Amino acid sequence: MADGLDRLWTPHRMTYISGEDRPEGGYDKPSGCPFCLAPRRPPEESLVVARGEHVFVVLNLYPYNPGHLLVCPYRHVADYTELDGPETAELASFTQTAMRVIRKVSNAHGFNLGMNQGGVAGAGIAAHLHQHVVPRWGGDANFMPVIGRTKVLPQLLGDTRDLLLRAWPT
């Protein structure tokens, strides 16, 4: 290329950027919601790491860092205030367990935890509440995402899922 820059191609991200993996009716209804569909997929096709009575944990299909997990209620609700007491308690408990497991398997130095409530707040799938658990390491925000707008992930999602699944307490 004439500009002399090296390029790291990540064509798998184009599906996310273009929105071509979005269902025709959108995510608002459970029938098109990936968080409603994920727990029903066969284990070999699923990125689900753990299942509780009210919530489950699934790997983010488009992770910010390796081990980026989402804690989701089974119930299709959009807002944190819509959770009942048992859902809220289990979501908090599973978030804590996710942090412990990630620390155990990958020695994370810290975490970003959060919920984007509504599309205007950055939620890609605003119709189904989900808590992000993003592991962080010193130096993980290097030049690639800042300058190259590319995130380098050293492990396939299925391999990450298997590692976390084996370490998750039963």
Side-chain angles (χ1 to χ4, degrees):
M1 300 248 171
D3 59 13
L5 296 175
D6 290 329
R7 287 176 168 65
L8 178 63
W9 299 103
T10 57
H12 64 280
R13 298 272 308 156
M14 191 48 70
T15 300
Y16 176 71
I17 293 166
S18 69
E20 68 186 70
D21 64 343
R22 284 191 192 116
E24 194 167 315
Y27 300 125
D28 292 341
K29 296 180 181 164
S31 61
C33 174
F35 300 134
C36 290
L37 299 173
R40 296 187 224 145
R41 286 198 162 80
E44 64 276 1
E45 296 175 21
S46 171
L47 295 176
V48 173
V49 172
R51 299 167 190 268
E53 185 177 340
H54 305 286
V55 304
F56 65 97
V57 178
V58 64
L59 276 167
N60 189 324
L61 188 57
Y62 303 104
Y64 295 122
N65 272 342
H68 179 171
L69 296 174
L70 304 171
V71 184
C72 308
Y74 289 108
R75 201 161 56 94
H76 187 83
V77 297
D79 197 85
Y80 186 65
T81 62
E82 295 177 57
L83 294 181
D84 63 25
E87 288 168 326
T88 303
E90 193 171 70
L91 186 130
S93 174
F94 270 55
T95 299
Q96 291 175 328
T97 302
M99 292 172 65
R100 288 183 190 109
V101 168
I102 292 169
R103 279 190 184 118
K104 179 180 178 180
V105 303
S106 64
N107 197 29
H109 299 154
F111 291 89
N112 290 118
L113 304 175
M115 293 180 211
N116 299 327
Q117 295 284 266
V120 70
I125 302 174
H128 196 130
L129 175 83
H130 51 285
Q131 164 88 10
H132 291 262
V133 180
V134 183
R136 301 299 305 270
W137 294 269
D140 69 6
N142 60 27
F143 74 95
M144 289 300 289
V146 176
I147 296 171
R149 298 184 48 95
T150 300
K151 188 69 180 181
V152 178
L153 298 168
Q155 193 172 50
L156 295 172
L157 288 175
D159 294 342
T160 302
R161 178 194 161 278
D162 292 344
L163 185 67
L164 295 167
L165 186 62
R166 284 192 303 271
W168 199 274
T170 53

